[in-house]
Amino acid sequence: MMCMYCKGKEFIESTTTHVVTYKNCLIVIKNVPCIECEQCGETFYSDEVAQILDKIVSAAKQPAQEISVIDYRQAA
Ligand SMILES: [Zn+2]
């Protein structure tokens, strides 16, 4: 794989905080596993993680709280 921003080819495994805004609500998911480009620091999710994130976000939207903070390791 190649970084879509800088075309770098070196990646490291990392974790990041995924933030989604939905209407007036903020959904924050901590400790999301990601792949980080060593060159520019841009982060990417694997398909599996992206799917799990979708589910977590959908669940957090109902009932939507003003701010939801979710730990990926507990929600996945
Ligand atoms: Zn990059």
Side-chain angles (χ1 to χ4, degrees):
M1 78 183 253
M2 190 162 67
C3 175
M4 70 175 96
Y5 295 93
C6 73
K7 301 197 167 24
K9 288 188 174 121
E10 300 296 322
F11 298 93
I12 49 170
E13 287 187 19
S14 182
T15 54
T16 188
T17 302
H18 185 70
V19 179
V20 180
T21 50
Y22 171 69
K23 294 182 181 171
N24 291 324
C25 302
L26 190 66
I27 301 162
V28 180
I29 306 162
K30 300 187 298 181
N31 298 313
V32 182
C34 67
I35 303 159
E36 186 178 322
C37 172
E38 267 204 325
Q39 196 162 290
C40 70
E42 197 59 46
T43 53
F44 305 88
Y45 301 122
S46 68
D47 288 348
E48 190 194 350
V49 170
Q51 279 176 16
I52 293 169
L53 275 180
D54 267 358
K55 283 185 196 160
I56 296 174
V57 169
S58 307
K61 283 177 180 172
Q62 46 193 312
Q65 296 176 11
E66 220 165 298
I67 300 175
S68 304
V69 181
I70 299 155
D71 192 317
Y72 181 92
R73 291 172 301 188
Q74 283 164 18

mmCIF file of all heavy atoms in Angstrom, residues 19-65:
data_model
loop_
_atom_site.group_PDB
_atom_site.id
_atom_site.type_symbol
_atom_site.label_atom_id
_atom_site.label_comp_id
_atom_site.label_asym_id
_atom_site.label_seq_id
_atom_site.Cartn_x
_atom_site.Cartn_y
_atom_site.Cartn_z
ATOM 1 N N VAL A 19 -13.093 11.210 15.606
ATOM 2 C CA VAL A 19 -14.120 12.164 16.034
ATOM 3 C C VAL A 19 -15.138 12.339 14.911
ATOM 4 O O VAL A 19 -14.766 12.542 13.753
ATOM 5 C CB VAL A 19 -13.489 13.530 16.386
ATOM 6 C CG1 VAL A 19 -14.572 14.523 16.812
ATOM 7 C CG2 VAL A 19 -12.456 13.365 17.488
ATOM 8 N N VAL A 20 -16.422 12.212 15.265
ATOM 9 C CA VAL A 20 -17.494 12.385 14.290
ATOM 10 C C VAL A 20 -18.444 13.444 14.823
ATOM 11 O O VAL A 20 -18.812 13.418 15.999
ATOM 12 C CB VAL A 20 -18.286 11.067 14.095
ATOM 13 C CG1 VAL A 20 -19.406 11.253 13.087
ATOM 14 C CG2 VAL A 20 -17.366 9.942 13.662
ATOM 15 N N THR A 21 -18.834 14.376 13.981
ATOM 16 C CA THR A 21 -19.869 15.313 14.401
ATOM 17 C C THR A 21 -21.158 14.896 13.715
ATOM 18 O O THR A 21 -21.179 14.559 12.537
ATOM 19 C CB THR A 21 -19.523 16.763 14.023
ATOM 20 O OG1 THR A 21 -19.159 16.798 12.651
ATOM 21 C CG2 THR A 21 -18.368 17.287 14.858
ATOM 22 N N TYR A 22 -22.236 14.895 14.488
ATOM 23 C CA TYR A 22 -23.537 14.450 13.983
ATOM 24 C C TYR A 22 -24.576 15.406 14.529
ATOM 25 O O TYR A 22 -24.775 15.489 15.733
ATOM 26 C CB TYR A 22 -23.799 13.017 14.447
ATOM 27 C CG TYR A 22 -25.193 12.508 14.190
ATOM 28 C CD1 TYR A 22 -25.622 12.270 12.885
ATOM 29 C CD2 TYR A 22 -26.066 12.261 15.237
ATOM 30 C CE1 TYR A 22 -26.897 11.811 12.650
ATOM 31 C CE2 TYR A 22 -27.340 11.792 15.014
ATOM 32 C CZ TYR A 22 -27.749 11.562 13.701
ATOM 33 O OH TYR A 22 -29.022 11.102 13.477
ATOM 34 N N LYS A 23 -25.226 16.157 13.650
ATOM 35 C CA LYS A 23 -26.128 17.244 14.055
ATOM 36 C C LYS A 23 -25.388 18.114 15.069
ATOM 37 O O LYS A 23 -24.328 18.634 14.755
ATOM 38 C CB LYS A 23 -27.434 16.672 14.596
ATOM 39 C CG LYS A 23 -28.192 15.955 13.485
ATOM 40 C CD LYS A 23 -29.513 15.416 13.953
ATOM 41 C CE LYS A 23 -30.209 14.697 12.795
ATOM 42 N NZ LYS A 23 -31.390 13.969 13.244
ATOM 43 N N ASN A 24 -25.940 18.229 16.293
ATOM 44 C CA ASN A 24 -25.228 19.046 17.285
ATOM 45 C C ASN A 24 -24.404 18.199 18.229
ATOM 46 O O ASN A 24 -23.990 18.660 19.280
ATOM 47 C CB ASN A 24 -26.220 19.886 18.099
ATOM 48 C CG ASN A 24 -26.836 20.957 17.239
ATOM 49 O OD1 ASN A 24 -26.166 21.518 16.359
ATOM 50 N ND2 ASN A 24 -28.101 21.246 17.450
ATOM 51 N N CYS A 25 -24.181 16.961 17.848
ATOM 52 C CA CYS A 25 -23.522 16.032 18.758
ATOM 53 C C CYS A 25 -22.103 15.722 18.302
ATOM 54 O O CYS A 25 -21.770 15.822 17.123
ATOM 55 C CB CYS A 25 -24.308 14.728 18.836
ATOM 56 S SG CYS A 25 -26.000 15.008 19.373
ATOM 57 N N LEU A 26 -21.328 15.339 19.274
ATOM 58 C CA LEU A 26 -19.938 14.998 19.020
ATOM 59 C C LEU A 26 -19.714 13.575 19.524
ATOM 60 O O LEU A 26 -20.018 13.266 20.664
ATOM 61 C CB LEU A 26 -19.056 15.983 19.788
ATOM 62 C CG LEU A 26 -17.560 15.985 19.496
ATOM 63 C CD1 LEU A 26 -17.288 16.454 18.084
ATOM 64 C CD2 LEU A 26 -16.856 16.899 20.481
ATOM 65 N N ILE A 27 -19.228 12.738 18.651
ATOM 66 C CA ILE A 27 -18.936 11.359 19.028
ATOM 67 C C ILE A 27 -17.420 11.176 18.961
ATOM 68 O O ILE A 27 -16.816 11.409 17.915
ATOM 69 C CB ILE A 27 -19.649 10.374 18.078
ATOM 70 C CG1 ILE A 27 -21.167 10.600 18.116
ATOM 71 C CG2 ILE A 27 -19.306 8.923 18.443
ATOM 72 C CD1 ILE A 27 -21.911 10.002 16.941
ATOM 73 N N VAL A 28 -16.848 10.807 20.095
ATOM 74 C CA VAL A 28 -15.400 10.665 20.183
ATOM 75 C C VAL A 28 -15.091 9.203 20.484
ATOM 76 O O VAL A 28 -15.580 8.656 21.470
ATOM 77 C CB VAL A 28 -14.833 11.565 21.311
ATOM 78 C CG1 VAL A 28 -13.308 11.401 21.406
ATOM 79 C CG2 VAL A 28 -15.196 13.026 21.065
ATOM 80 N N ILE A 29 -14.297 8.585 19.636
ATOM 81 C CA ILE A 29 -13.902 7.190 19.866
ATOM 82 C C ILE A 29 -12.397 7.152 20.077
ATOM 83 O O ILE A 29 -11.625 7.545 19.194
ATOM 84 C CB ILE A 29 -14.326 6.295 18.688
ATOM 85 C CG1 ILE A 29 -15.837 6.464 18.437
ATOM 86 C CG2 ILE A 29 -13.999 4.836 18.984
ATOM 87 C CD1 ILE A 29 -16.283 5.982 17.087
ATOM 88 N N LYS A 30 -12.013 6.713 21.262
ATOM 89 C CA LYS A 30 -10.595 6.709 21.634
ATOM 90 C C LYS A 30 -9.953 5.358 21.338
ATOM 91 O O LYS A 30 -10.629 4.350 21.255
ATOM 92 C CB LYS A 30 -10.447 6.998 23.137
ATOM 93 C CG LYS A 30 -11.010 8.332 23.552
ATOM 94 C CD LYS A 30 -10.678 8.631 25.004
ATOM 95 C CE LYS A 30 -11.303 7.594 25.946
ATOM 96 N NZ LYS A 30 -11.011 7.892 27.352
ATOM 97 N N ASN A 31 -8.638 5.375 21.222
ATOM 98 C CA ASN A 31 -7.849 4.136 21.093
ATOM 99 C C ASN A 31 -8.203 3.312 19.855
ATOM 100 O O ASN A 31 -8.269 2.089 19.917
ATOM 101 C CB ASN A 31 -8.004 3.273 22.351
ATOM 102 C CG ASN A 31 -7.486 3.991 23.581
ATOM 103 O OD1 ASN A 31 -6.397 4.550 23.550
ATOM 104 N ND2 ASN A 31 -8.267 4.016 24.631
ATOM 105 N N VAL A 32 -8.461 3.992 18.755
ATOM 106 C CA VAL A 32 -8.772 3.271 17.517
ATOM 107 C C VAL A 32 -7.468 2.838 16.853
ATOM 108 O O VAL A 32 -6.598 3.668 16.592
ATOM 109 C CB VAL A 32 -9.566 4.172 16.542
ATOM 110 C CG1 VAL A 32 -9.926 3.411 15.284
ATOM 111 C CG2 VAL A 32 -10.798 4.736 17.221
ATOM 112 N N PRO A 33 -7.325 1.528 16.585
ATOM 113 C CA PRO A 33 -6.095 1.085 15.925
ATOM 114 C C PRO A 33 -6.022 1.635 14.504
ATOM 115 O O PRO A 33 -7.015 1.637 13.781
ATOM 116 C CB PRO A 33 -6.214 -0.444 15.913
ATOM 117 C CG PRO A 33 -7.590 -0.768 16.331
ATOM 118 C CD PRO A 33 -8.244 0.442 16.896
ATOM 119 N N CYS A 34 -4.881 2.126 14.124
ATOM 120 C CA CYS A 34 -4.730 2.679 12.786
ATOM 121 C C CYS A 34 -3.314 2.426 12.290
ATOM 122 O O CYS A 34 -2.456 1.948 13.023
ATOM 123 C CB CYS A 34 -5.033 4.181 12.780
ATOM 124 S SG CYS A 34 -3.839 5.142 13.710
ATOM 125 N N ILE A 35 -3.119 2.759 11.038
ATOM 126 C CA ILE A 35 -1.812 2.655 10.418
ATOM 127 C C ILE A 35 -1.372 4.083 10.126
ATOM 128 O O ILE A 35 -2.131 4.869 9.564
ATOM 129 C CB ILE A 35 -1.906 1.821 9.122
ATOM 130 C CG1 ILE A 35 -2.475 0.442 9.434
ATOM 131 C CG2 ILE A 35 -0.547 1.725 8.458
ATOM 132 C CD1 ILE A 35 -3.075 -0.245 8.235
ATOM 133 N N GLU A 36 -0.175 4.409 10.557
ATOM 134 C CA GLU A 36 0.276 5.787 10.414
ATOM 135 C C GLU A 36 1.425 5.860 9.410
ATOM 136 O O GLU A 36 2.368 5.071 9.475
ATOM 137 C CB GLU A 36 0.732 6.292 11.787
ATOM 138 C CG GLU A 36 1.092 7.764 11.810
ATOM 139 C CD GLU A 36 1.497 8.207 13.217
ATOM 140 O OE1 GLU A 36 0.889 7.733 14.196
ATOM 141 O OE2 GLU A 36 2.439 9.001 13.310
ATOM 142 N N CYS A 37 1.353 6.823 8.511
ATOM 143 C CA CYS A 37 2.421 7.034 7.535
ATOM 144 C C CYS A 37 3.625 7.638 8.267
ATOM 145 O O CYS A 37 3.487 8.636 8.967
ATOM 146 C CB CYS A 37 1.922 7.966 6.429
ATOM 147 S SG CYS A 37 3.224 8.472 5.302
ATOM 148 N N GLU A 38 4.757 6.991 8.117
ATOM 149 C CA GLU A 38 5.943 7.482 8.825
ATOM 150 C C GLU A 38 6.399 8.828 8.285
ATOM 151 O O GLU A 38 7.015 9.620 8.982
ATOM 152 C CB GLU A 38 7.082 6.468 8.678
ATOM 153 C CG GLU A 38 7.142 5.477 9.807
ATOM 154 C CD GLU A 38 8.518 4.882 9.981
ATOM 155 O OE1 GLU A 38 9.200 4.673 8.974
ATOM 156 O OE2 GLU A 38 8.892 4.629 11.133
ATOM 157 N N GLN A 39 6.096 9.068 7.040
ATOM 158 C CA GLN A 39 6.606 10.270 6.389
ATOM 159 C C GLN A 39 5.789 11.519 6.727
ATOM 160 O O GLN A 39 6.337 12.535 7.110
ATOM 161 C CB GLN A 39 6.622 10.045 4.873
ATOM 162 C CG GLN A 39 7.477 11.038 4.123
ATOM 163 C CD GLN A 39 7.796 10.499 2.733
ATOM 164 O OE1 GLN A 39 8.548 9.543 2.592
ATOM 165 N NE2 GLN A 39 7.191 11.093 1.733
ATOM 166 N N CYS A 40 4.450 11.433 6.601
ATOM 167 C CA CYS A 40 3.634 12.637 6.798
ATOM 168 C C CYS A 40 2.731 12.540 8.017
ATOM 169 O O CYS A 40 2.096 13.521 8.391
ATOM 170 C CB CYS A 40 2.804 12.942 5.551
ATOM 171 S SG CYS A 40 1.467 11.779 5.253
ATOM 172 N N GLY A 41 2.648 11.366 8.662
ATOM 173 C CA GLY A 41 1.855 11.245 9.879
ATOM 174 C C GLY A 41 0.372 11.058 9.628
ATOM 175 O O GLY A 41 -0.418 11.001 10.567
ATOM 176 N N GLU A 42 -0.039 10.963 8.391
ATOM 177 C CA GLU A 42 -1.443 10.727 8.071
ATOM 178 C C GLU A 42 -1.833 9.339 8.566
ATOM 179 O O GLU A 42 -1.036 8.402 8.510
ATOM 180 C CB GLU A 42 -1.624 10.833 6.551
ATOM 181 C CG GLU A 42 -3.062 11.016 6.127
ATOM 182 C CD GLU A 42 -3.706 12.261 6.703
ATOM 183 O OE1 GLU A 42 -3.089 13.345 6.660
ATOM 184 O OE2 GLU A 42 -4.824 12.135 7.217
ATOM 185 N N THR A 43 -3.080 9.191 9.085
ATOM 186 C CA THR A 43 -3.485 7.891 9.606
ATOM 187 C C THR A 43 -4.572 7.270 8.733
ATOM 188 O O THR A 43 -5.396 7.974 8.145
ATOM 189 C CB THR A 43 -3.991 8.000 11.056
ATOM 190 O OG1 THR A 43 -5.008 8.985 11.121
ATOM 191 C CG2 THR A 43 -2.859 8.355 12.003
ATOM 192 N N PHE A 44 -4.565 5.954 8.677
ATOM 193 C CA PHE A 44 -5.512 5.184 7.863
ATOM 194 C C PHE A 44 -6.095 4.077 8.729
ATOM 195 O O PHE A 44 -5.462 3.606 9.648
ATOM 196 C CB PHE A 44 -4.794 4.525 6.681
ATOM 197 C CG PHE A 44 -4.045 5.496 5.830
ATOM 198 C CD1 PHE A 44 -2.736 5.810 6.143
ATOM 199 C CD2 PHE A 44 -4.646 6.099 4.747
ATOM 200 C CE1 PHE A 44 -2.029 6.722 5.372
ATOM 201 C CE2 PHE A 44 -3.950 7.015 3.971
ATOM 202 C CZ PHE A 44 -2.635 7.328 4.286
ATOM 203 N N TYR A 45 -7.318 3.648 8.368
ATOM 204 C CA TYR A 45 -7.926 2.512 9.044
ATOM 205 C C TYR A 45 -7.964 1.322 8.102
ATOM 206 O O TYR A 45 -8.161 1.481 6.900
ATOM 207 C CB TYR A 45 -9.364 2.848 9.461
ATOM 208 C CG TYR A 45 -9.464 4.038 10.377
ATOM 209 C CD1 TYR A 45 -10.224 5.141 10.030
ATOM 210 C CD2 TYR A 45 -8.787 4.049 11.595
ATOM 211 C CE1 TYR A 45 -10.314 6.233 10.874
ATOM 212 C CE2 TYR A 45 -8.873 5.138 12.437
ATOM 213 C CZ TYR A 45 -9.640 6.236 12.076
ATOM 214 O OH TYR A 45 -9.735 7.303 12.896
ATOM 215 N N SER A 46 -7.822 0.143 8.673
ATOM 216 C CA SER A 46 -8.029 -1.060 7.868
ATOM 217 C C SER A 46 -9.531 -1.170 7.603
ATOM 218 O O SER A 46 -10.348 -0.557 8.296
ATOM 219 C CB SER A 46 -7.527 -2.293 8.617
ATOM 220 O OG SER A 46 -8.345 -2.537 9.741
ATOM 221 N N ASP A 47 -9.917 -1.991 6.602
ATOM 222 C CA ASP A 47 -11.337 -2.155 6.277
ATOM 223 C C ASP A 47 -12.118 -2.653 7.483
ATOM 224 O O ASP A 47 -13.230 -2.221 7.744
ATOM 225 C CB ASP A 47 -11.513 -3.157 5.129
ATOM 226 C CG ASP A 47 -11.062 -2.555 3.803
ATOM 227 O OD1 ASP A 47 -10.847 -1.327 3.748
ATOM 228 O OD2 ASP A 47 -10.907 -3.314 2.844
ATOM 229 N N GLU A 48 -11.484 -3.583 8.225
ATOM 230 C CA GLU A 48 -12.145 -4.164 9.391
ATOM 231 C C GLU A 48 -12.429 -3.081 10.430
ATOM 232 O O GLU A 48 -13.535 -2.978 10.961
ATOM 233 C CB GLU A 48 -11.242 -5.251 9.975
ATOM 234 C CG GLU A 48 -11.920 -6.087 11.028
ATOM 235 C CD GLU A 48 -10.917 -6.927 11.818
ATOM 236 O OE1 GLU A 48 -9.739 -6.990 11.417
ATOM 237 O OE2 GLU A 48 -11.341 -7.488 12.840
ATOM 238 N N VAL A 49 -11.411 -2.264 10.724
ATOM 239 C CA VAL A 49 -11.590 -1.208 11.723
ATOM 240 C C VAL A 49 -12.626 -0.193 11.241
ATOM 241 O O VAL A 49 -13.475 0.259 12.010
ATOM 242 C CB VAL A 49 -10.230 -0.535 12.022
ATOM 243 C CG1 VAL A 49 -10.419 0.720 12.867
ATOM 244 C CG2 VAL A 49 -9.298 -1.511 12.738
ATOM 245 N N ALA A 50 -12.610 0.122 9.944
ATOM 246 C CA ALA A 50 -13.567 1.097 9.399
ATOM 247 C C ALA A 50 -15.000 0.593 9.578
ATOM 248 O O ALA A 50 -15.898 1.369 9.926
ATOM 249 C CB ALA A 50 -13.270 1.356 7.923
ATOM 250 N N GLN A 51 -15.204 -0.712 9.388
ATOM 251 C CA GLN A 51 -16.546 -1.279 9.548
ATOM 252 C C GLN A 51 -16.996 -1.227 10.999
ATOM 253 O O GLN A 51 -18.146 -0.898 11.296
ATOM 254 C CB GLN A 51 -16.559 -2.741 9.089
ATOM 255 C CG GLN A 51 -16.679 -2.857 7.577
ATOM 256 C CD GLN A 51 -16.597 -4.310 7.114
ATOM 257 O OE1 GLN A 51 -16.751 -5.235 7.907
ATOM 258 N NE2 GLN A 51 -16.346 -4.486 5.833
ATOM 259 N N ILE A 52 -16.081 -1.563 11.900
ATOM 260 C CA ILE A 52 -16.418 -1.523 13.325
ATOM 261 C C ILE A 52 -16.719 -0.083 13.747
ATOM 262 O O ILE A 52 -17.667 0.177 14.483
ATOM 263 C CB ILE A 52 -15.278 -2.145 14.158
ATOM 264 C CG1 ILE A 52 -15.185 -3.647 13.861
ATOM 265 C CG2 ILE A 52 -15.507 -1.908 15.655
ATOM 266 C CD1 ILE A 52 -13.939 -4.317 14.409
ATOM 267 N N LEU A 53 -15.936 0.853 13.250
ATOM 268 C CA LEU A 53 -16.177 2.266 13.560
ATOM 269 C C LEU A 53 -17.581 2.679 13.117
ATOM 270 O O LEU A 53 -18.275 3.393 13.841
ATOM 271 C CB LEU A 53 -15.139 3.147 12.857
ATOM 272 C CG LEU A 53 -13.807 3.340 13.565
ATOM 273 C CD1 LEU A 53 -12.911 4.233 12.709
ATOM 274 C CD2 LEU A 53 -13.987 3.954 14.939
ATOM 275 N N ASP A 54 -17.989 2.240 11.919
ATOM 276 C CA ASP A 54 -19.324 2.559 11.416
ATOM 277 C C ASP A 54 -20.388 2.097 12.397
ATOM 278 O O ASP A 54 -21.345 2.814 12.685
ATOM 279 C CB ASP A 54 -19.552 1.843 10.076
ATOM 280 C CG ASP A 54 -19.172 2.722 8.893
ATOM 281 O OD1 ASP A 54 -18.777 3.881 9.117
ATOM 282 O OD2 ASP A 54 -19.282 2.232 7.759
ATOM 283 N N LYS A 55 -20.214 0.859 12.896
ATOM 284 C CA LYS A 55 -21.192 0.303 13.830
ATOM 285 C C LYS A 55 -21.219 1.086 15.133
ATOM 286 O O LYS A 55 -22.278 1.375 15.680
ATOM 287 C CB LYS A 55 -20.852 -1.167 14.130
ATOM 288 C CG LYS A 55 -21.260 -2.086 13.012
ATOM 289 C CD LYS A 55 -21.004 -3.532 13.437
ATOM 290 C CE LYS A 55 -21.031 -4.460 12.225
ATOM 291 N NZ LYS A 55 -20.359 -5.732 12.491
ATOM 292 N N ILE A 56 -20.043 1.419 15.639
ATOM 293 C CA ILE A 56 -19.967 2.161 16.907
ATOM 294 C C ILE A 56 -20.640 3.519 16.740
ATOM 295 O O ILE A 56 -21.413 3.961 17.591
ATOM 296 C CB ILE A 56 -18.502 2.317 17.359
ATOM 297 C CG1 ILE A 56 -17.879 0.948 17.670
ATOM 298 C CG2 ILE A 56 -18.425 3.239 18.588
ATOM 299 C CD1 ILE A 56 -16.382 1.003 17.977
ATOM 300 N N VAL A 57 -20.372 4.171 15.613
ATOM 301 C CA VAL A 57 -20.941 5.504 15.377
ATOM 302 C C VAL A 57 -22.462 5.412 15.250
ATOM 303 O O VAL A 57 -23.193 6.209 15.834
ATOM 304 C CB VAL A 57 -20.306 6.158 14.126
ATOM 305 C CG1 VAL A 57 -21.067 7.413 13.718
ATOM 306 C CG2 VAL A 57 -18.838 6.487 14.392
ATOM 307 N N SER A 58 -22.958 4.397 14.514
ATOM 308 C CA SER A 58 -24.409 4.245 14.365
ATOM 309 C C SER A 58 -25.069 4.040 15.715
ATOM 310 O O SER A 58 -26.119 4.615 15.998
ATOM 311 C CB SER A 58 -24.749 3.035 13.491
ATOM 312 O OG SER A 58 -24.081 3.105 12.279
ATOM 313 N N ALA A 59 -24.445 3.204 16.558
ATOM 314 C CA ALA A 59 -25.009 2.931 17.879
ATOM 315 C C ALA A 59 -24.988 4.189 18.744
ATOM 316 O O ALA A 59 -25.915 4.440 19.509
ATOM 317 C CB ALA A 59 -24.226 1.808 18.549
ATOM 318 N N ALA A 60 -23.948 5.007 18.584
ATOM 319 C CA ALA A 60 -23.811 6.203 19.422
ATOM 320 C C ALA A 60 -24.818 7.281 19.022
ATOM 321 O O ALA A 60 -25.131 8.172 19.800
ATOM 322 C CB ALA A 60 -22.384 6.752 19.325
ATOM 323 N N LYS A 61 -25.345 7.184 17.796
ATOM 324 C CA LYS A 61 -26.287 8.207 17.322
ATOM 325 C C LYS A 61 -27.662 8.054 17.952
ATOM 326 O O LYS A 61 -28.507 8.913 17.835
ATOM 327 C CB LYS A 61 -26.418 8.128 15.796
ATOM 328 C CG LYS A 61 -25.231 8.749 15.082
ATOM 329 C CD LYS A 61 -25.378 8.576 13.581
ATOM 330 C CE LYS A 61 -24.194 9.196 12.859
ATOM 331 N NZ LYS A 61 -24.224 8.871 11.413
ATOM 332 N N GLN A 62 -27.928 6.878 18.583
ATOM 333 C CA GLN A 62 -29.232 6.669 19.177
ATOM 334 C C GLN A 62 -29.093 6.007 20.526
ATOM 335 O O GLN A 62 -28.670 4.863 20.591
ATOM 336 C CB GLN A 62 -30.092 5.811 18.248
ATOM 337 C CG GLN A 62 -29.346 4.602 17.706
ATOM 338 C CD GLN A 62 -30.086 3.960 16.564
ATOM 339 O OE1 GLN A 62 -31.275 3.729 16.685
ATOM 340 N NE2 GLN A 62 -29.388 3.670 15.486
ATOM 341 N N PRO A 63 -29.426 6.653 21.596
ATOM 342 C CA PRO A 63 -29.865 8.047 21.643
ATOM 343 C C PRO A 63 -28.643 8.950 21.618
ATOM 344 O O PRO A 63 -27.699 8.720 22.372
ATOM 345 C CB PRO A 63 -30.565 8.129 23.017
ATOM 346 C CG PRO A 63 -29.825 7.106 23.836
ATOM 347 C CD PRO A 63 -29.313 6.041 22.896
ATOM 348 N N ALA A 64 -28.687 9.958 20.770
ATOM 349 C CA ALA A 64 -27.533 10.826 20.640
ATOM 350 C C ALA A 64 -27.402 11.706 21.875
ATOM 351 O O ALA A 64 -28.348 12.353 22.299
ATOM 352 C CB ALA A 64 -27.678 11.684 19.389
ATOM 353 N N GLN A 65 -26.226 11.672 22.443
ATOM 354 C CA GLN A 65 -25.932 12.590 23.539
ATOM 355 C C GLN A 65 -25.103 13.714 22.967
ATOM 356 O O GLN A 65 -24.522 13.578 21.903
ATOM 357 C CB GLN A 65 -25.141 11.869 24.621
ATOM 358 C CG GLN A 65 -25.944 10.760 25.258
ATOM 359 C CD GLN A 65 -25.137 9.961 26.267
ATOM 360 O OE1 GLN A 65 -24.045 10.353 26.627
ATOM 361 N NE2 GLN A 65 -25.689 8.849 26.689
#
